[in-house]
Amino acid sequence: MTSGQATAKELCRTGNQHYAEGQFLEAVAAYSKALEMTEDVHLLSNRSAACLNIGRADLALQDARKCIELKPTWSKGYVKAALALRILGQYGEASLLLERASELDPSDQYIKVLEKTSITEDYPPQHSPVDRASQLSSPKIGFQNVCFFVNSISLLLLLY
């Protein structure tokens, strides 16, 4: 093991600690520094999760797609991409990626929960962030259901 790898591992541990403490920006920074030293799917997956938690689904999707590119048989890359796509309102592609993740790891309970959890009926994909915010405050949308979904995803990302 080279000193660069040890440093990347230390930064990964630091990022994991920040993530566990809810310090997602710091986690992103630590994972990013580690990724400057080594390209690793676990670091990319972790940074993807942290990006989701700071509201940067676009960056989370980039990292998740890189995970899929580097390790196409690893279900977590597909899961992280699907989560980002759901947030970005691209439900069809998200569903396809969850199906692929389920094919790769049929016993993964997290994937099964995500497949059963959908906000597509209450959260139309073609709206600006301002439109989305106003829709979420509408009783028709089911604000509590969307909050429950987002909180559940954050908790599951931490556990996953």
Side-chain angles (χ1 to χ4, degrees), residues 113-132:
V113 167
L114 287 175
E115 287 178 317
K116 292 178 184 177
T117 308
S118 174
I119 59 170
T120 57
E121 300 84 25
D122 294 336
Y123 202 65
Q126 301 301 322
H127 295 282
S128 71
V130 172
D131 291 340
R132 286 183 178 162

Side-chain angles (χ1 to χ4, degrees), residues 131-153:
D131 291 340
R132 286 183 178 162
S134 66
Q135 286 189 2
L136 287 176
S137 63
S138 164
K140 177 184 172 221
I141 298 306
F143 180 72
Q144 290 177 333
N145 291 335
V146 173
C147 288
F148 174 76
F149 175 78
V150 171
N151 289 335
S152 297
I153 296 304

Side-chain angles (χ1 to χ4, degrees), residues 74-93:
W74 192 48
S75 65
K76 284 188 180 183
Y78 295 90
V79 169
K80 300 291 170 55
L83 290 170
L85 286 165
R86 278 185 171 187
I87 291 169
L88 294 169
Q90 298 176 27
Y91 304 111
E93 187 178 353

Side-chain angles (χ1 to χ4, degrees), residues 87-113:
I87 291 169
L88 294 169
Q90 298 176 27
Y91 304 111
E93 187 178 353
S95 293
L96 292 173
L97 290 175
L98 281 176
E99 285 176 24
R100 179 66 181 135
S102 185
E103 290 169 4
L104 291 169
D105 193 354
S107 64
D108 190 320
Q109 294 301 310
Y110 179 67
I111 296 169
K112 290 177 183 178
V113 167

Side-chain angles (χ1 to χ4, degrees), residues 34-69:
L35 282 162
E36 289 173 7
M37 298 173 199
T38 182
E39 191 170 62
D40 178 81
V41 292
H42 297 95
L43 285 168
L44 286 164
S45 176
N46 290 355
R47 187 171 70 176
S48 178
C51 285
L52 285 172
N53 279 284
I54 62 170
R56 291 302 308 266
D58 57 327
L59 297 177
L61 181 58
Q62 287 177 11
D63 283 347
R65 289 196 190 280
K66 187 67 174 176
C67 285
I68 294 168
E69 177 187 322

